[in-house]
Amino acid sequence: MSSDLRQLYQEVILDHSKRPRNFGQPEGSCFRAEGHNPLCGDQVTVYVRVEDGAITEVRFEGRGCAISTASASLMTETLKSKTPQEARELFELFRESVTSDPSSELDGEQLGKLAVLGGVREYPMRVKCASLAWHTMRAALDGSEEPVTTE
Amino acid sequence: MSYDVERIRKDFPILERQIRGMPLAYLDNAASTQKPLPVIEAISKYYTSTHANIHRGVHTLSEEATALYEGARVKLGRLLNAAAAEEIVFLRGTTEAINLVSQAWVRPRVGPDDEILISHLEHHSNIVPWQFVCEQTGARLVVAPIDDRGEIILEEYERLLSPRTRFAALSHVSNALGTINPVAELIRLAHERGVPVLLDGAQAIPHLRVDVRALGCDFYAFSGHKMYGPTGIGTLWGRTERLEEMDPYQGGGEMIRSVSFEKTVFDDVPHKFEAGTPDICGAIALGVAVDYLQDLDLEAVGQHEQELLRRATEQVSELSGTRIIGTAAEKAGVLSFVLDCAHPHDVGTILDGAGVAVRTGHHCAQPVMDRFGIPATTRASFAAYNTEEEIDRLVAGLRQVLEIFG
C-alpha cells in the first residue's frame, strides 16, 4: 500500500470508522440537522446539546464511508465543552486544513486529534466525506432558534 | 483469428498512463470509454485542415465540412441499420435525445391520467425528463418492477401496459447492473397495445449489435463518448414517420427553410431538430468511432467482454463478504458489487491507489440502489481494451480492501 493510502487510512481512522463514538440518537431535546452527500448517498444526522452556552453533547447517526464516519466520530469527541462559536471556528480551521496543500504543515496544536484526517488532502474527492458531519453540525447550531425535539 | 487485445490497447494512448505510480487499469467504461488514436486524430485533422460552418457556404471548406458531417450521419445510420440516414439526429447525447422526445413528441400527446411506462432499472436521464412531462400534463409515471436479479418482471410489464399507457421508455442495457433487457419482447408487448417505445441505448451500443429495424422500436438514443467517440455528441434515431410527427423544440438557424416575421417554415428532418451550429467536429469524430468499432468486430468485442465479466464475477464472488448486485442471466460487461466491510468510496480510493479506476456511487440510478437497499455500489465495467490481468489487479486491490477493513 502506498504511503498516501496509509496516511489516509491510519489506525485511528479505521478504529473510529469501525467503532464510532457517540453514535445514535440522544435522549432529551437538542439541536439537530441532517446532512446528505448526493454524490455517494451518504447521510448523517448530527445532534448537538448546548447548555449554559457550552456544548455538552454531540452525537450522530447515519451511514457513510470510513472517512465520513471517522470524521463524524472524531468531531463528536472534539466539540464537547466548546462554545458554539468555538465549534464554528474549529470547523473553519478543519476545512482549511483538509483543503490545504498536501506539502504544507498542518497546525497539529490547534487541530489536535483531527490532524489524523490530514491524509484527505491527497484525495480532493474525499474532502466532502470528511466535512459532511461538520457542515451538518454547523447547520444544527444555525437552526438553534428552534431546537428540534428528538423524542 | 484470436482476439488481439494488446494490438487494440496500442490504439489508446491514455492506457500508457501511470496512476499514483501504478499502470492504469481503466475499468470505468460504463461512465465513459477512452478514445482511440483515429478518433483523436480526426478531431485534430478536422480543425487543422477542414473546419468551416456547414450547410451554408459555397466555399470549399464549407462543402468539405458539410460532406464529412453528413457522411458521419450515413455511418451512424448504417451502424443502426436505419432505413435512411435522415433518421439520425445529432444531439449532445442520450440525455438531450430523451429530453427532445419527451418534450417534442410525448408532451403534446398526453394529458391527465394518461400513463408513461418506464422501468425500475432506468438511469436518471430516463426518469427525470418523464417526470417533467408528467408535471406539465398531469400524466402519471408508471414504473415496471424488477426482481432480485435485476431483471424486469415480464408479466408485470405486460400488466402495467394499460389502456392509458401512451408511451414507454426503457433502457436497452442497465448502466448500474448491466442487465440486458429483452427489449424485442418488451417492444412487441407495447406495440401490440399501440404504445410507442424509446430505447435508451447508451450502455448497449458499444457492446451489442443494434438493429433498430429488427428491434422495431420508435426511438433509440445514445451517446458518443461511451462508444469510443468524443463527449458532447450523441444520436437520436427515430423512425421517419415519428420524426416527421414531432415538432422542433429549439428554434434558430440551421433548422429552417425560410423565415419571415409572419411565418417560418421548418426544414425537413433531421435538420429541424439541429438548431444552431452543431458539434460538427464531434459528429465527424463519432463517425470515425463508428468505423473503429465496426473494424474491431462487435461480436468479438462482446465475447471478449463476456469473458472478462465471467472472470471478474467468479473471482469477486469468491472474496468473503461480497455481494454482487445484478445477477441477470443476460448481462453486458458490468460488475456492480458491495463489500460488507467497506463503503464503495473507500473501495474506490484504495483501488485508485492500485491504479485501478472504477466507479463508486449510485451511478445516477438511485431507484436501483433503493431497490437493493444500498446507498451505492462499486462498479467495474469493461471495454474492448481491458485484459484479464486488469481483472486480476482489481481482485488484488479488493483483497487489500479486505485486509484494511476486514
Side-chain angles (χ1 to χ4, degrees):
Chain A
M1 188 163 65
S2 72
S3 61
D4 286 350
L5 271 182
R6 256 195 299 275
Q7 180 68 24
L8 184 66
Y9 292 111
Q10 46 186 291
E11 254 336 290
V12 180
I13 289 182
L14 293 177
D15 176 46
H16 274 265
S17 74
K18 287 173 191 168
R19 284 172 291 278
R21 321 297 196 262
N22 302 307
F23 190 83
Q25 202 170 315
E27 288 179 9
S29 86
C30 59
F31 306 124
R32 169 182 175 276
E34 282 174 30
H36 182 220
N37 183 352
L39 201 72
C40 51
D42 285 357
Q43 280 170 325
V44 67
T45 306
V46 173
Y47 306 90
V48 187
R49 193 193 312 281
V50 181
E51 286 167 323
D52 300 328
I55 293 171
T56 53
E57 188 177 23
V58 186
R59 298 184 69 80
F60 81 104
E61 59 184 353
R63 58 185 189 189
C65 63
I67 303 299
S68 76
T69 305
S71 179
S73 172
L74 285 159
M75 178 188 80
T76 61
E77 290 193 330
T78 314
L79 294 182
K80 220 166 181 179
S81 77
K82 294 208 169 2
T83 67
Q85 184 54 28
E86 285 168 343
R88 286 191 176 90
E89 284 167 13
L90 193 57
F91 172 39
E92 287 306 321
L93 177 74
F94 176 72
R95 191 160 59 168
E96 281 168 28
S97 303
V98 292
T99 53
S100 65
D101 188 315
S103 60
S104 66
E105 279 292 311
L106 281 175
D107 187 346
E109 200 176 322
Q110 291 228 49
L111 282 170
K113 60 179 148 190
L114 297 177
V116 297
L117 285 155
V120 168
R121 298 186 299 171
E122 288 285 353
Y123 299 88
M125 293 295 284
R126 306 302 302 276
V127 169
K128 275 190 181 160
C129 309
S131 25
L132 178 63
W134 287 84
H135 280 285
T136 313
M137 176 276 296
R138 195 176 59 176
L141 288 176
D142 288 348
S144 55
E145 301 87 49
E146 292 172 21
V148 179
T149 303
T150 56
E151 282 161 356
Chain B
M1 199 183 76
S2 68
Y3 191 79
D4 190 352
V5 70
E6 289 308 322
R7 185 184 60 76
I8 293 167
R9 289 180 73 81
K10 288 195 174 68
D11 293 333
F12 293 82
I14 204 168
L15 300 178
E16 297 292 317
R17 261 203 70 169
Q18 301 276 308
I19 302 294
R20 298 182 189 271
M22 303 292 287
L24 167 66
Y26 186 78
L27 302 178
D28 192 17
N29 296 289
S32 195
T33 57
Q34 299 299 346
K35 316 306 169 200
L37 275 171
V39 169
I40 298 168
E41 284 164 358
I43 294 168
S44 171
K45 188 176 166 208
Y46 171 74
Y47 282 123
T48 308
S49 65
T50 320
H51 173 68
N53 212 333
I54 53 170
H55 293 145
R56 279 185 290 255
V58 293
H59 60 78
T60 302
L61 287 183
S62 180
E63 280 176 5
E64 286 180 6
T66 304
L68 286 171
Y69 181 78
E70 292 303 327
R73 202 189 300 279
V74 172
K75 290 178 185 179
L76 268 301
R78 282 193 196 131
L79 177 72
L80 299 175
N81 193 28
E86 288 69 29
E87 294 185 332
I88 299 293
V89 184
F90 283 125
L91 298 162
R92 281 189 297 148
T94 312
T95 298
E96 190 174 35
I98 297 172
N99 275 278
L100 169 61
V101 174
S102 64
Q103 287 298 315
W105 199 90
V106 178
R107 184 181 175 184
R109 288 173 175 76
V110 295
D113 301 324
D114 283 343
E115 293 172 356
I116 297 167
L117 180 61
I118 62 170
S119 89
H120 208 123
L121 273 180
E122 303 310 313
H123 186 284
H124 295 167
S125 64
N126 205 18
I127 300 173
V128 182
W130 305 114
Q131 289 174 328
F132 285 179
V133 171
C134 289
E135 277 168 28
Q136 289 155 343
T137 62
R140 274 193 335 114
L141 190 64
V142 176
V143 182
I146 54 175
D147 62 20
D148 290 341
R149 294 187 300 179
E151 292 180 348
I152 292 171
I153 303 165
L154 272 175
E155 306 76 57
E156 285 294 302
Y157 193 85
E158 187 165 10
R159 190 180 63 78
L160 289 169
L161 279 163
S162 82
R164 303 300 305 172
T165 310
R166 294 286 171 266
F167 199 80
L170 184 69
S171 52
H172 192 166
V173 171
S174 151
N175 75 307
L177 306 183
T179 312
I180 302 175
N181 287 319
V183 287
E185 172 71 3
L186 297 171
I187 292 165
R188 190 183 62 75
L189 292 172
H191 280 185
E192 278 174 5
R193 292 155 180 83
V195 177
V197 180
L198 172 142
L199 289 186
D200 166 358
Q203 297 294 336
I205 208 87
H207 308 293
L208 308 173
R209 197 169 289 290
V210 174
D211 180 333
V212 287
R213 279 192 281 177
L215 287 173
C217 54
D218 296 84
F219 297 100
Y220 198 94
F222 61 96
S223 300
H225 72 97
K226 294 189 203 289
M227 52 170 291
Y228 312 108
T231 56
I233 185 79
T235 297
L236 172 70
W237 169 86
R239 270 221 315 277
T240 301
E241 63 262 38
R242 291 280 177 255
L243 292 180
E244 281 174 351
E245 288 160 0
M246 187 159 78
D247 284 332
Y249 87 141
Q250 288 185 337
E254 289 275 359
M255 53 79 72
I256 45 83
R257 188 165 291 151
S258 68
V259 175
S260 71
F261 290 118
E262 289 71 39
K263 184 170 175 57
T264 291
V265 180
F266 303 131
D267 203 343
D268 290 333
V269 296
H271 304 289
K272 70 175 179 179
F273 304 114
E274 295 178 1
T277 298
D279 184 355
I280 304 166
C281 179
I284 293 168
L286 177 56
V288 175
V290 169
D291 293 340
Y292 185 82
L293 198 58
Q294 288 182 323
D295 284 350
L296 278 185
D297 178 358
L298 260 176
E299 263 94 37
V301 170
Q303 265 180 26
H304 175 69
E305 290 168 350
Q306 284 298 318
E307 187 52 38
L308 297 175
L309 177 67
R310 193 194 56 74
R311 189 183 182 92
T313 306
E314 210 173 274
Q315 295 193 23
V316 171
S317 308
E318 281 169 8
L319 299 172
S320 66
T322 50
R323 180 177 153 214
I324 307 245
I325 308 295
T327 49
E330 297 288 328
K331 276 181 70 172
V334 171
L335 185 66
S336 237
F337 57 93
V338 290
L339 302 182
D340 289 343
C341 67
H343 187 282
H345 263 55
D346 298 310
V347 176
T349 295
I350 288 166
L351 290 177
D352 183 57
V356 180
V358 293
R359 180 74 181 268
T360 56
H362 53 60
H363 318 296
C364 295
Q366 283 178 339
V368 177
M369 301 294 112
D370 292 342
R371 169 65 178 74
F372 289 92
I374 48 177
T377 72
T378 303
R379 181 188 72 185
S381 52
F382 314 123
Y385 42 68
N386 289 125
T387 65
E388 295 189 347
E389 188 245 336
E390 289 176 316
I391 305 296
D392 297 345
R393 286 178 55 204
L394 164 72
V395 174
L398 293 173
R399 285 188 205 286
Q400 199 171 41
V401 174
L402 296 181
E403 272 170 38
I404 296 170
F405 292 98

